[in-house]
Amino acid sequence: MQLGMIGLGRMGGNIVRRLMLNGHSTVVYDRNAQAVEALVAEGSVGSSDLADLVSKLTPPRAVWVMLPAGAITQATIDTLAGLLSPGDVIIDGGNTNWKDDVRRGKDLAAKGLDYVDVGTSGGVWGLQRGYCMMIGGKAETVTRLDPIFSTLAPGIGEVPRTPNRGGHDPRAEQGYIHAGPCGAGHFVKMVHNGIEYGLMQAYAEGFDILRSAGNEGRPEGESFDFDMADIAEVWRRGSVVTSWLLDLTASALAEDKDLREYSGYVEDSGEGRWTIEAAIDQAVPAEVLTAALYTRFRSRQEHTFAEKILSAMRKGFGGHIEPKTTEPKA
Amino acid sequence: MQLGMIGLGRMGGNIVRRLMLNGHSTVVYDRNAQAVEALVAEGSVGSSDLADLVSKLTPPRAVWVMLPAGAITQATIDTLAGLLSPGDVIIDGGNTNWKDDVRRGKDLAAKGLDYVDVGTSGGVWGLQRGYCMMIGGKAETVTRLDPIFSTLAPGIGEVPRTPNRGGHDPRAEQGYIHAGPCGAGHFVKMVHNGIEYGLMQAYAEGFDILRSAGNEGRPEGESFDFDMADIAEVWRRGSVVTSWLLDLTASALAEDKDLREYSGYVEDSGEGRWTIEAAIDQAVPAEVLTAALYTRFRSRQEHTFAEKILSAMRKGFGGHIEPKTTEPKA
Amino acid sequence: MQLGMIGLGRMGGNIVRRLMLNGHSTVVYDRNAQAVEALVAEGSVGSSDLADLVSKLTPPRAVWVMLPAGAITQATIDTLAGLLSPGDVIIDGGNTNWKDDVRRGKDLAAKGLDYVDVGTSGGVWGLQRGYCMMIGGKAETVTRLDPIFSTLAPGIGEVPRTPNRGGHDPRAEQGYIHAGPCGAGHFVKMVHNGIEYGLMQAYAEGFDILRSAGNEGRPEGESFDFDMADIAEVWRRGSVVTSWLLDLTASALAEDKDLREYSGYVEDSGEGRWTIEAAIDQAVPAEVLTAALYTRFRSRQEHTFAEKILSAMRKGFGGHIEPKTTEPKA
Amino acid sequence: MQLGMIGLGRMGGNIVRRLMLNGHSTVVYDRNAQAVEALVAEGSVGSSDLADLVSKLTPPRAVWVMLPAGAITQATIDTLAGLLSPGDVIIDGGNTNWKDDVRRGKDLAAKGLDYVDVGTSGGVWGLQRGYCMMIGGKAETVTRLDPIFSTLAPGIGEVPRTPNRGGHDPRAEQGYIHAGPCGAGHFVKMVHNGIEYGLMQAYAEGFDILRSAGNEGRPEGESFDFDMADIAEVWRRGSVVTSWLLDLTASALAEDKDLREYSGYVEDSGEGRWTIEAAIDQAVPAEVLTAALYTRFRSRQEHTFAEKILSAMRKGFGGHIEPKTTEPKA
């Protein structure tokens, strides 16, 4: 079927490519004209602005918005809403807060437009592996867009089938689900990312314990100079902690077991924070997911004010004077 | 080669089976005579006690001890030490604290005996998938035992190879490593289990947030009745959080998405606790691994005394009276 | 000076009493007529509705709203805004989210009205000890209301003076501060409560460790049957952990060292949650304050879905079957 | 009564002084002869080595060991054990692990010697405020030493009495308790310090949230430039979070609200770690006390290896490149 795509960055561009490789037709727009030209060269229909893109799509239209920042996404959707016709659908595949989806779904419905939110996992690997998609919106709309979703999804592939799935949605095995009404897709993707933070931190702490087992000053016979790369590799085969994240860790450690390329400064994105906000809103204790987020916050500071407060108290009650400097380590 | 096995439970028995299936000869002992008979019927040489087992092995002997509890393991090793000859090796494949390995390695070396500790992951799946092994001991001893380890290990199998592993130990790709001197094997296995706790808790919290998104009383449009089984399934394909633990979760949720079979009471074992002790000893912040352990502690109590202290304070400063009962939930 | 008070619950009623005891005049309203009558009997001027209250105040009026729930507070302020005249001031002394204060401050300023938010600590003890107040709003408005605030505040009392406070706001020593513009008062109070959660949890965990040191099954010589009441009491004198919360704990434990009156179910209120939201918004790692909140979430459930997920995985990879019941404990 | 004191540092020296000021006689030893001379000048009997000290005490002797490090304490007690006579008592007032006390109590009892462990809080303030003491040992021995303990304790002082303490140990109100058998004193002191870490961290996080509310880039109207010194001061009067630790914080912030004197590097001592080990051993969830400890671990590193692992994964699955540097902050 036909899809309009707005935003031709790494994600949007590759989604278009995967669709074209599988026989779909696409109309594309990006404020960077070169990005448009590149995809036109691969078979897309280019457009010069949003109105042009809309004019080149056949109703009922489907327009996928794949933009990096929330503010631009909202502005784009507002503009589109004035250009589209009843029965058209806007798909937001970006990293949107699910509460914005709930609101948009209502706003657009009032204008006769459909809205579908797609949480998309797959990153730089999606073109090759396919995109794992968690979709929110009206059931009939999601069904109408199924040719798109089934093409983008990874499919069953070589992943062994889960037994006893009779009665469950067969799309899940293909790598996409209709999670619920507007907002449901990004909600599930949000929690996916929250879990991702927790998994990453679990591995990270484990490797930190392994590495520091060889620190200077350990008692004789209790100091171990482990090979991080070999440990990550061995766990990939038959252990309980095998995962794709471990595969990636093993690759990075094979290149440099000291990871000297990395400073230790770690960014976080909205989904990790929103997951904790949801946990608090729903009164769910989420210790691990929260601790994983806080580690990233801490990684970006040389010292916290909190730590200075601690030292000030320690001086106050015990006369303790802390060392003035932190030694580089690890 | 020839191996003596003491302890024919699920782990020990299947290790013997996997060895015999691949042409090794085994001499077995268990205080349960029926367990011995069963393996004799499959080709093992049986024995009636430790002395009998030792007498049936050809020097230099290799005896694998695979017993569930630390006290019995120690007593067995003490007895073996009096029966074996210089050049023989004792292998402990159980869940032993690495500090015990360090001590034992020294004690047995004084008697001319070798000691090898093997952290073994694989559980109920080992016979079929092979055992991921992390091995501590002298290099030459581990090399001498290589026919055993290479047979038990899963091998490369269908797991894609990590690029750039030139210069690293090729055994890691086969699913076993020589991690370092005595204790190193169980240390790495200990951290493996600590990570396992953290990974499990990350998924658990995520699914809890998803499930409680449908709790009664949520605002209209912000309540989602997610299908846990479909979400676990979809994440198995192309998402960042794919793992074997997720596969298992998807299977359990496919059988019953409410997990009514489980009370919520969760045991923990030594490795999880020892990991945190190592973190504290080495001054490594291990928030996630610790929080995962504490969740299990909490799961086994109806209420903590800590919670009563909180309520007592709240009454004291604010006159707050808490409800008397906790509603069953989730 | 003259103050109107809306909401004559425990907090509002005692604030009025403390003002009258110190020579201020008050006009009061509550939808419960008996509450109004009780304060009229003590010297207040009563009123039958908001319009009546406003009519009995002399411009420029000061109206303090002291209501338990956010929705009623907002509705009351909306109504007041239509009754008051430019130059009048509305004071919200309740447990309001600071973001609502920021919004209200702007909305009311557009109508020529002033708005002051007062975070008030003191609870059931305020009439006797005075109220610790954190105030947000325009400086001149806070100054105009100083006769009210200075009366309500505890004053220096017997608390030893902090040295070197020259150059700092002298009001802080009296127990009230002008923290900043609209919202600043409730922001500081919010963090106060967040800290309160953390302090409480620190004591609670400590007493839990002490109590469980006497659990059955501890090794001989390592089991201690501590007297919780004596420990709380001794720490009140000369230790580093002396505090008012410890005083309250000592009182509760003196009455019943087993705290049998309390179920262990612990409520939380908005401030604790908002503190964590602020931490996340500002990228501040707040492990302790968050853990304290999560403990309360957990205390209100028999079991979490997360715990069932853990057991399902444990069965999957290790065949572990958990006990079906949790024993009442502690 | 007469007491021998070994170790005349800040703690030991001031304990001797407080005893002499109240009519007790003391025999003192320190390997630093000047420290001995100083106390001789104030009225103590000096000694040149342990044997000399023992010879100058009248049986049944009481010898208090107040040394900074565990190894020296153990060696000193071993030597003393060979010099003392049955019926004599050794008191360890240092920061000893309670498990060492349990062992020592047994070892010394076999030689007819008594052993008493005293957890001592008070630090630099003890000479003036008295020492809060948690005592382990045989009841009759603790009773025999009561003249010492009652002198060192703070006494009721100006701290308001807790109601309903009839039936409880009256010593607690004086600032010392007999907590139980050998080890009980240091166990209670250990938990005291664990709680101390948690309380400190709760305040520290709160002030960090307050301070970062004024960070650059905050939305207009939502940025607050709080005065930390005034906030700490106001909470000292009538708020729920009043405590001695808050008094100390207010003093430090009054001197410099930016705490520029402190680097943010924070030491920890054995008690904080041992508290967590006890929690894990007793299966008590102790999230807050543990998080407080981990914050200190983290404060002493520029970056953790864990953080580099996170970045390596993020590059692997998303192509994310982290900034190379951490900006100094706070």
Side-chain angles (χ1 to χ4, degrees), chain B residues 150-168:
Chain B
S150 61
T151 296
L152 291 177
I156 289 187
E158 299 179 0
V159 178
R161 298 186 68 173
T162 298
N164 302 314
R165 277 197 48 80
H168 288 283

Side-chain angles (χ1 to χ4, degrees), chain A residues 88-100:
Chain A
D88 293 348
V89 58
I90 297 174
I91 304 158
D92 179 5
N95 292 320
T96 297
N97 187 314
W98 65 274
K99 291 191 176 180
D100 289 330

Side-chain angles (χ1 to χ4, degrees), chain A residues 129-152:
Chain A
R129 304 206 320 177
Y131 297 92
C132 176
M133 288 170 293
M134 298 137 260
I135 306 165
K138 281 194 296 188
E140 55 268 33
T141 312
V142 175
T143 299
R144 177 161 81 81
L145 297 170
D146 194 72
I148 300 292
F149 295 135
S150 60
T151 296
L152 291 178

Side-chain angles (χ1 to χ4, degrees), chain B residues 10 125 196 204 211 249 261 263-265 267 299-300 303 305-307 313 315-318 322-324 326 330, chain C residues 10 125 196 204 211 249 261 263-265 267 299-300 303 305-307 313 315-318 322-324 326:
Chain B
R10 190 170 50 196
W125 301 76
E196 172 192 305
R211 186 176 166 95
T249 305
E261 165 185 358
S263 68
Y265 179 110
E267 294 280 8
S299 81
R300 303 199 296 261
H303 275 295
F305 190 66
E307 291 160 7
M313 288 187 195
K315 186 179 176 196
F317 68 71
E322 314 274 9
K324 284 290 180 194
T326 303
Chain C
R10 190 170 49 196
W125 301 77
E196 173 192 305
R211 185 177 167 94
T249 305
E261 166 186 358
S263 69
Y265 179 111
E267 295 279 9
S299 81
R300 304 199 297 261
H303 275 295
F305 190 66
E307 291 160 8
M313 288 188 195
K315 186 180 175 197
F317 67 72
E322 314 274 10
K324 284 287 178 196
T326 303

Side-chain angles (χ1 to χ4, degrees), chain C residues 24-79:
Chain C
H24 297 283
S25 67
T26 58
V27 183
V28 300
Y29 172 72
D30 193 290
R31 58 182 184 178
N32 175 349
Q34 290 185 320
V36 175
E37 283 168 29
L39 279 162
V40 168
E42 299 181 44
S44 281
V45 175
S47 64
S48 56
D49 59 21
L50 297 184
D52 188 34
L53 176 130
V54 169
S55 74
K56 288 173 172 163
L57 291 166
T58 309
R61 301 175 188 87
V63 184
W64 186 304
V65 181
M66 199 77 199
L67 294 167
I72 302 175
T73 298
Q74 185 62 51
T76 301
I77 290 174
D78 289 344
T79 303

Side-chain angles (χ1 to χ4, degrees), chain A residues 307-325:
Chain A
E307 291 159 7
K308 299 184 181 192
I309 291 275
L310 296 180
S311 292
M313 288 187 195
R314 280 169 50 80
K315 185 179 176 195
F317 68 72
H320 303 292
I321 306 295
E322 314 274 9
K324 283 289 178 196
T325 56

Side-chain angles (χ1 to χ4, degrees), chain A residues 182-328:
Chain A
C182 288
H186 278 133
F187 193 105
V188 176
K189 175 56 162 50
M190 170 188 81
V191 174
H192 167 277
N193 284 31
I195 291 173
E196 172 192 305
Y197 280 41
L199 300 178
M200 290 170 71
Q201 182 66 18
Y203 287 114
E205 292 179 3
F207 280 105
D208 206 347
I209 295 170
L210 288 168
R211 185 176 167 95
S212 61
N215 279 354
E216 280 184 31
R218 303 266 307 154
E220 199 202 320
E222 302 191 7
S223 177
F224 301 111
D225 180 25
F226 293 121
D227 184 312
M228 299 292 130
D230 285 347
I231 291 174
E233 185 63 29
V234 79
W235 286 346
R236 296 181 65 223
R237 287 179 176 77
S239 97
V240 173
V241 303
T242 51
S243 72
W244 188 50
L245 285 166
L246 180 65
D247 294 347
L248 298 172
T249 306
S251 287
L253 288 167
E255 284 183 30
D256 176 10
K257 68 187 174 55
D258 296 314
L259 300 179
R260 282 163 296 191
E261 167 185 357
Y262 306 97
S263 69
Y265 179 110
V266 192
E267 294 279 8
D268 74 287
S269 61
E271 285 87 353
R273 300 186 185 200
W274 302 333
T275 300
I276 309 309
E277 288 174 3
I280 290 173
D281 187 38
Q282 299 169 201
V284 174
E287 272 297 347
V288 157
L289 307 192
T290 310
L293 179 64
Y294 287 167
T295 296
R296 298 189 181 192
F297 289 170
R298 178 61 186 83
S299 81
R300 303 199 297 261
Q301 298 187 54
E302 191 175 318
H303 276 293
T304 64
F305 190 66
E307 291 159 7
K308 299 184 181 192
I309 291 275
L310 296 180
S311 292
M313 288 187 195
R314 280 169 50 80
K315 185 179 176 195
F317 68 72
H320 303 292
I321 306 295
E322 314 274 9
K324 283 289 178 196
T325 56
T326 303
E327 288 302 310

